[in-house]
Amino acid sequence: MRLARPLAAAMLVVAALAVPQPAQAAVFKHPGVLVSRAQLDFVRANLDKDPWKSAWKGLQNSSYASLSYAAKPRAVVECGPVSNPDHGCSDERKDAMAAYTHALQWYLTKDSRYAEKAIQIMDAWSAVITGHTGSNAPLQTGWAGASFSRAAELIKHTYTGWAKAGRFAGKLRDVYLPIVIAGRPNGNGNWELIMTDAAIGIAVHLDDRASFDRAVATWRGRLPAYIYLKTDGSLPKAPPGSTYNTKAEIIDYWQGQSTFVDGLTQETCRDFWHTGWGLAAISHVAETAGHQGVDLYAAAKHRLRLAMDFHARLRLGAAVPSWLCGGKVTADLGEHFEVGYNALHQRLGYDIPYAAQWVEQSRPVGVSHFLGWETLTHAQNPQDAGMGGSATADFDADGVGDLFSAATGTLTVWNGEGGNKFGPATAIGGSWTGFSRPIAGDFNGDGISDLLAVKKDTNTLHVWNGKGANNFTAAAELGPGWAPYSATLMSLGDVNEDGRTDIGAVHADTGVLTIWNGKGGNAFGSGTTVGGGWAAFSRPIAGDFNGDGIGDLLAVKKDTSTLHVWNGKGASNFTAATELGPGWAPYAGTLMSLGDVNEDGHTDIAAVSDDKLYLWNGRGGNKFGAGTAISSGWTPYF
């Protein structure tokens, strides 16, 4: 393809500039399995206040927290249906949770006795464990692997002196990971989701990018096969790799349910307890991925909030409609929502009234298999997990980046469908000739993509807030004085790490880059100049190109036609430019950032040349795949 040469050169340049790394160099942020250092620091600062105070007391008074706790390791754990026979199943789950409990106590008190107790438990298991057998082995491995990976992550990266950390990591790699990473496409969804929870935690702890990416891919495939949205069509999606191909098979898989509504899950008509496990595991995976700069909540937020409210409403006593599960449900919902509720309500601002009521009356959350102390770790915790302000155009709120253009005078959207595919052109509305090229981002903080543009005759900035399903509010004027910036206005994502979408532009006369940090609610701070010399480059585009969760910039140097990247460092600061490769002259004028259009967790870029749309899939680390021509007919739009 025409674009293979520039990207091949770019990847060679990056490789040539790379500093040699040791064999065990970290590729992830640590600690970063379910909880981060920032989240735990927030908890430490609030242990004298509720809900954390009562949750902390509950942990300290539990048997898992005792310094006299004694592990009961086994070489082979045998678990039959419903853990019968139970040859080490309960012991392993309890020991894994005890290790995590002591790891939390260590971090929150800095009393080394708790760290040593966690190490003692994990060392006892790593000395003997060789495998899991029985029909429940995959689920058992998921339960224990999820808790063990959290415990190991906290101890390894916040405490010194774990001599046998490598042996335990080896057991996670050889005994646990092969089982949980394999998935369970034909089983009830909570199994595969819990296994994926363990898989992504182990992958992060091992700095295993390949397994991390595989876990994310499994999660993305399972999500729409577990929680239904009416936009899925008349039937739920089948789990990738499953044998459910017909309408009858899918209905049978969904426990005989044939009427599908937003928020219904594959296990709703089984019982709410297992459904709660599935929803909790969805949240856990998104939380861990978020700590590594991969925002899975963007894909899950609407399914998850609707599912949480749907089930909480029934658990709180609402009448069961006759079309649902034959008019009768087993509404045994447990304390499953704390992590997801915090992400969706506390961070993203969604109103989830029934889930809120259920979470409040269920606090403080204790322990259940692979869930532990989540009121303590996540309740009202404002620390973001990879959920910074978005610069991605996602107008139908499905978590996949969309294409858009107003060059013809009509706003036209091509919704991303995943796999580098886009839907047909959808005309949204006219009268755009009076505005500058619009930019997309979440400017009011509701989790749905909005548009910004400058009105040419008044030089005033306007916003159109997204409502989902490619719909927008009427334009609202934000303020005057934008004439020097209208041609290069860009959405930056979150470059100061406060969870809000920031914008930037290069002054037409001075070539100086200015940043306006987002405040939410369509408000921005005063402009801050970052640096000059930008007149020598094409209009910059923004995205997370190195995969660290902070917005970066890309632009083409005009005199050399080379692509350059400036990586964000937080606090609205950037590194010096790094040259990625030559050959970008044909694409400089239309270069655009698409978000993640192939659903692999990396930011992709595109450009139009000779009427063709070209796409380069991001690989992280400022690398991109070879350019691919997607289709023709794009000149009128770009």
Side-chain angles (χ1 to χ4, degrees), residues 489-515:
L489 194 64
M490 58 186 139
S491 183
L492 297 178
D494 181 18
V495 296
N496 64 341
E497 299 183 282
D498 68 349
R500 306 296 186 183
T501 302
D502 308 316
I503 61 174
V506 175
H507 195 285
D509 299 325
T510 65
V512 172
L513 174 65
T514 299
I515 290 176

Side-chain angles (χ1 to χ4, degrees), residues 54-81:
S54 57
W56 177 231
K57 183 177 180 180
L59 181 151
Q60 290 179 304
N61 291 338
S62 74
S63 61
Y64 296 99
S66 172
L67 285 170
S68 62
Y69 187 96
K72 299 177 181 178
R74 284 176 178 253
V76 177
V77 177
E78 181 185 0
C79 306

Side-chain angles (χ1 to χ4, degrees), residues 15-245:
L17 294 175
V19 177
Q21 297 292 321
Q24 299 300 317
V27 297
F28 294 117
K29 295 179 181 178
H30 300 289
V33 177
L34 187 61
V35 292
S36 68
R37 190 184 301 272
Q39 286 176 321
L40 291 179
D41 286 343
F42 171 83
V43 174
R44 284 188 73 195
N46 288 280
L47 288 177
D48 60 339
K49 309 179 188 73
D50 273 327
W52 309 281
K53 181 179 180 179
S54 57
W56 177 231
K57 183 177 180 180
L59 181 151
Q60 290 179 304
N61 291 338
S62 74
S63 61
Y64 296 99
S66 172
L67 285 170
S68 62
Y69 187 96
K72 299 177 181 178
R74 284 176 178 253
V76 177
V77 177
E78 181 185 0
C79 306
V82 200
S83 296
N84 183 21
D86 181 349
H87 295 157
C89 314
S90 298
D91 290 339
E92 184 186 33
R93 291 197 307 271
K94 291 177 181 178
D95 288 356
M97 186 58 68
Y100 179 51
T101 301
H102 282 284
L104 287 173
Q105 286 192 111
W106 144 247
Y107 193 90
L108 296 176
T109 66
K110 299 305 179 182
D111 185 335
S112 63
R113 294 178 300 166
Y114 297 120
E116 291 297 330
K117 176 56 70 172
I119 289 171
Q120 182 187 86
I121 295 168
M122 290 186 284
D123 282 353
W125 277 91
S126 68
V128 299
I129 184 69
T130 61
H132 298 79
T133 63
S135 60
N136 245 34
L139 183 58
Q140 171 71 23
T141 310
W143 283 331
S147 298
F148 268 144
S149 63
R150 296 166 200 161
E153 180 77 354
L154 281 179
I155 295 299
K156 180 179 178 180
H157 296 288
T158 68
Y159 183 75
T160 57
W162 186 9
K164 296 176 181 176
R167 187 177 74 183
F168 189 81
K171 294 296 185 178
L172 289 178
R173 178 184 296 107
D174 300 335
V175 176
Y176 292 84
L177 185 58
I179 295 177
V180 295
I181 200 69
R184 191 82 168 183
N186 280 326
N188 281 314
N190 84 87
W191 275 50
E192 187 166 71
L193 289 165
I194 292 169
M195 292 162 67
T196 305
D197 184 5
I200 198 169
I202 293 170
V204 168
H205 184 65
L206 298 178
D207 280 310
D208 182 347
R209 169 61 72 174
S211 294
F212 177 91
D213 290 345
R214 184 174 174 184
V216 168
T218 299
W219 182 94
R220 288 187 184 277
R222 174 57 74 169
L223 176 67
Y226 195 70
I227 305 174
Y228 175 81
L229 287 182
K230 60 185 177 183
T231 53
D232 295 335
S234 60
L235 287 173
K237 305 291 186 183
S242 72
T243 58
Y244 306 120
N245 300 312

Side-chain angles (χ1 to χ4, degrees), residues 478-548:
L478 299 186
W482 290 85
Y485 307 106
S486 61
T488 58
L489 194 64
M490 58 186 139
S491 183
L492 297 178
D494 181 18
V495 296
N496 64 341
E497 299 183 282
D498 68 349
R500 306 296 186 183
T501 302
D502 308 316
I503 61 174
V506 175
H507 195 285
D509 299 325
T510 65
V512 172
L513 174 65
T514 299
I515 290 176
W516 296 264
N517 293 125
K519 303 300 183 186
N522 298 326
F524 296 90
S526 301
T528 301
T529 57
V530 176
W534 288 88
F537 292 87
S538 65
R539 181 181 63 88
I541 63 171
D544 181 15
F545 304 119
N546 64 349
D548 67 354

